[in-house]
Amino acid sequence: MNTDKNIAIVGAGLVGSLLSIYLVKRGYKVTVFERRPNMREHVLDAGRSINLALSNRGIRALEAVGLADPMKKVAIPMNGRMIHNVSGGLTFQPYGKEGQFINSVSRSGLNMMLMDEAEKRGVHFFYEYRCEGVDFDNTAIKFQTYGSHMTRKFDLVIGADGAFSAVRSAMQADGVVTASEDVLEHSYKELRIPPAENGSFMIAKNSLHIWPRESFMLIALPNPDATFTCTLFLPNEGENSFEKLKKKSDITTFFETHFPDTLSLMPTLLEDFRDNTTSSLVTIRSYPWIKNNVLLIGDAAHGVVPFYGQGMNAGFEDCFVLNQLLDEFEDNWDDVLPKFQELRKPDNDAIAQLALDNFIEMRDLVGDEDFLLRKKIESRLQDLFPNEWVPLYSMVTFREDMRYSEALLNGALQRKVMDKVMAKPDIKTTWEQLNFREIVDQFNTLKAN
């Protein structure tokens, strides 16, 4: 195999760091350049982490480099959603079958673990190197660092520098890539629930907590230190929006009205609201992802909003699939690069759409009676016919052997069948008498056609 290439990765985030491990394991010389300071030595901006939900696709990618078990030691399993209504009532919605769960992990903690492992294996990291441009003909990167400018030449350059990628911008400027940045009308702000005085969790530990309020919502994910990382998703403008929450009194009134049960849980609410950045939510779609010997990967190629918990998992799956292709084509990058984008483009378009759809589900539907009945019927279908009816969430989250694009298609067909089921007269009182075999047969017929 031809593994004597000198490869540069732009971006030392989750995907760039994991990819560097895959490549150095194959025998490549790998150098990673990051525009920010080393997070292991500097405290970076607060309020921008959004705890991550690591599921089967991401775990599979970590297992391939021997890092799944160390990750699991610092992760907290979440078995389902805990829904909080305005009056403080709770409803638990399991994510899948018994024993299935997703993992709450710290973005920075996982990132630092990946960096440490990469360095142990021989990857070189350079921090505070800002990519200013790319020479595609010579596979060279132009950097600014500490006030000076330099150009470094490589055999291959991979842009893993996130949703606002400098490498992708260089491709766009060169006329190679067509890209769109669709900014959601909502933004997010990170808040915090501390531990109880005795050091225990203030609310249920093994759940992803959601306070759905139709056009906006609050979520909370657990941390190993018994804190919860909370994220408020709110419109930028309008009656209930960030533009209306400028004064302390407005913030307090807003939470008293919409999230009254959280006030006793968040003693530093006003300080966190003031100090933590309000950040935008953007979907990135781009194509193609290659120009000569330069490749885009992860959010640099396909940034998604966080509402399916699949952004990191999709990026990690990119690394896993790229490594599989290197095996298949014996490290012939001329064959690997076009095949990689051909395979991954439809899947990452699919998860982008699924993430946008799930935002509506999380903020609007999880407390809706018809929605809950639909989920109950689908759960019964899965119990009765586990090999024929797998709910969409389970396909995306727990079926790492199924492509996102296939899950999106199957989900659309299931929705078509379930719309007819839910339209039946008196469905709320007669659903247990449904012909469940017939429902599954309708779905299988649509799939076959």
Side-chain angles (χ1 to χ4, degrees), residues 298-351:
D299 282 356
H302 50 77
V304 301
V305 292
F307 303 114
Y308 226 115
Q310 287 296 307
M312 172 186 60
N313 293 288
F316 281 6
E317 191 172 70
D318 279 352
C319 299
F320 182 85
V321 170
L322 182 63
N323 192 61
Q324 282 187 318
L325 292 173
L326 288 167
D327 285 340
E328 180 181 345
F329 292 102
E330 298 183 337
D331 289 78
N332 184 336
W333 287 86
D334 290 339
D335 292 331
V336 167
L337 291 178
K339 188 64 176 177
F340 174 76
Q341 67 174 4
E342 176 190 333
L343 274 174
R344 294 301 289 163
K345 173 62 174 172
D347 289 333
N348 286 301
D349 283 348
I351 193 57

Side-chain angles (χ1 to χ4, degrees), residues 159-426:
D161 49 338
F164 302 103
S165 166
V167 178
R168 189 184 70 247
S169 294
M171 283 186 168
Q172 289 177 257
D174 199 60
V176 178
V177 169
T178 299
S180 65
E181 298 179 3
D182 298 322
V183 181
L184 211 60
E185 62 184 12
H186 291 63
S187 294
Y188 72 87
K189 186 180 287 288
E190 191 173 288
L191 305 169
R192 180 177 179 270
I193 295 175
E197 289 186 7
N198 64 0
S200 63
F201 288 84
M202 297 271 276
I203 50 180
K205 172 184 177 181
N206 297 113
S207 297
L208 190 155
H209 294 261
I210 306 178
W211 289 258
R213 301 296 184 261
E214 296 190 355
S215 66
F216 57 95
M217 68 176 178
L218 179 72
I219 68 171
L221 278 74
N223 298 307
D225 62 358
T227 64
F228 282 83
T229 300
C230 305
T231 310
L232 175 65
F233 297 98
L234 194 63
N236 297 316
E237 301 175 345
E239 180 181 355
N240 294 304
S241 67
F242 280 114
E243 74 168 353
K244 298 291 187 183
L245 301 182
K246 304 299 184 185
K247 300 176 184 177
K248 290 182 179 180
S249 58
D250 294 334
I251 297 166
T252 301
T253 299
F254 176 77
F255 274 79
E256 286 174 343
T257 303
H258 300 290
F259 310 114
D261 59 328
T262 67
L263 287 171
S264 62
L265 302 174
M266 295 194 287
T268 59
L269 168 63
L270 295 176
E271 292 83 357
D272 292 340
F273 208 97
R274 177 195 65 201
D275 296 339
N276 291 347
T277 307
T278 302
S279 302
S280 60
L281 295 157
V282 62
T283 299
I284 303 293
R285 295 181 178 89
S286 70
Y287 205 74
W289 300 343
I290 56 175
K291 164 69 173 177
N292 297 347
N293 293 311
V294 180
L295 167 70
L296 299 175
I297 197 168
D299 282 356
H302 50 77
V304 301
V305 292
F307 303 114
Y308 226 115
Q310 287 296 307
M312 172 186 60
N313 293 288
F316 281 6
E317 191 172 70
D318 279 352
C319 299
F320 182 85
V321 170
L322 182 63
N323 192 61
Q324 282 187 318
L325 292 173
L326 288 167
D327 285 340
E328 180 181 345
F329 292 102
E330 298 183 337
D331 289 78
N332 184 336
W333 287 86
D334 290 339
D335 292 331
V336 167
L337 291 178
K339 188 64 176 177
F340 174 76
Q341 67 174 4
E342 176 190 333
L343 274 174
R344 294 301 289 163
K345 173 62 174 172
D347 289 333
N348 286 301
D349 283 348
I351 193 57
Q353 186 58 53
L354 287 164
L356 290 167
D357 293 346
N358 208 47
F359 180 37
I360 297 170
E361 176 176 314
M362 290 175 73
R363 77 181 194 206
D364 296 359
L365 301 178
V366 290
D368 179 79
E369 285 188 14
D370 288 343
F371 173 81
L372 295 176
L373 177 58
R374 180 185 289 246
K375 290 296 181 185
K376 192 178 292 186
I377 294 170
E378 289 200 71
S379 179
R380 179 69 61 85
L381 287 165
Q382 186 180 24
D383 289 341
L384 293 171
F385 308 102
N387 297 321
E388 296 179 78
W389 187 283
V390 180
L392 177 59
Y393 187 89
S394 294
M395 286 189 275
V396 171
T397 306
F398 304 122
R399 287 287 302 273
E400 66 272 23
D401 59 328
M402 181 180 291
R403 295 178 62 175
Y404 286 129
S405 51
E406 184 182 353
L408 178 65
L409 177 60
N410 286 344
L413 298 179
Q414 287 179 342
R415 184 167 59 251
K416 190 172 183 179
V417 172
M418 285 300 300
D419 284 346
K420 292 181 179 179
V421 172
M422 295 301 294
K424 292 180 181 290
D426 303 319

